[in-house]
Amino acid sequence: RRRRGMILQSPDILKGMEMAMVSPWLTAGTLRELFEFRLMLEVGIADLLFEKKSDRLIKKLERIVEKENLAENESERMKADAEFHAALYAATGNETLIRFQNLLYPLFKHYASERVKELPNPIIDHKRLLSELEKGTPSSFRLAMRHHLEPHFMVMIESLEQ
């Protein structure tokens, strides 16, 4: 039998982060930086979204917006909100980005559910974001997403500072 030597594989760059995310040792500062990083990602995916957008994506987002509008309680509304943002990440086709969003989702869900009553209504809602994705430009979508996320991140950041 011949010696095969080492077999090299592509490293899983998120594996260490996955292990750290379940750690109780994440500091408020680290959480804040993760929130800020996600804000940058959501605003920054505009160009990729516009490159990969399709009629299928638009239809999917329309269904999610309708579901959100018909939500009978806060829990249903928050589910639709998460579904909308997950659909945007999925539309990029970037597996690392999708995994990273899935990694951060439990943290955001935890803080959002604790502070949802304090959350001001966003200046830009999902219907407007959808309109920007359909008819706007990457720049207009980036700005709309920034305005959409602003209240969420302000409340989350304030909660971490306390």
Side-chain angles (χ1 to χ4, degrees):
R1 179 179 134 140
R2 290 181 60 205
R3 291 186 186 190
R4 295 188 74 202
M6 247 189 218
I7 298 174
L8 298 177
Q9 294 181 341
S10 178
D12 186 347
I13 62 171
L14 292 180
K15 193 63 175 169
M17 187 175 250
E18 284 174 350
M19 292 167 34
M21 295 300 272
V22 296
S23 164
W25 301 298
L26 289 177
T27 66
T30 300
L31 290 171
R32 179 186 175 150
E33 288 177 3
L34 288 170
F35 292 145
E36 291 169 344
F37 189 60
R38 181 166 179 214
L39 175 59
M40 290 184 286
L41 284 176
E42 292 233 11
V43 172
I45 65 173
D47 290 306
L48 193 52
L49 271 175
F50 271 78
E51 183 180 308
K52 300 207 174 179
K53 75 178 175 179
S54 65
D55 291 338
R56 185 173 172 221
L57 171 63
I58 299 300
K59 296 281 185 233
K60 181 177 186 172
L61 293 173
E62 285 172 347
R63 285 191 299 273
I64 295 168
V65 167
E66 183 64 26
K67 188 188 308 184
E68 183 178 33
N69 291 337
L70 296 173
E72 294 182 9
N73 56 51
E74 197 58 35
S75 176
E76 288 178 11
R77 194 197 66 71
M78 285 179 64
K79 255 187 189 169
D81 179 71
E83 192 177 346
F84 185 91
H85 290 275
L88 294 178
Y89 276 83
T92 67
N94 184 311
E95 288 302 318
T96 302
L97 189 61
I98 294 165
R99 278 185 60 208
F100 186 72
Q101 191 266 346
N102 289 334
L103 247 174
L104 293 181
Y105 176 70
L107 292 174
F108 284 86
K109 184 178 176 187
H110 171 72
Y111 284 100
S113 65
E114 283 186 358
R115 307 291 295 244
V116 75
K117 298 286 188 266
E118 302 169 37
L119 199 62
N121 287 329
I123 298 167
I124 305 285
D125 62 8
H126 290 145
K127 186 175 182 177
R128 174 85 183 278
L129 283 174
L130 176 56
S131 176
E132 287 298 331
L133 187 59
E134 278 183 290
K135 302 174 185 131
T137 65
S139 294
S140 68
F141 184 83
R142 256 191 302 281
L143 185 60
M145 180 61 82
R146 181 71 180 109
H147 287 302
H148 171 70
L149 294 173
E150 185 69 28
H152 297 276
F153 284 89
M154 292 311 297
V155 168
M156 288 178 196
I157 289 170
E158 287 170 13
S159 75
L160 290 172
E161 290 174 347
Q162 295 176 355

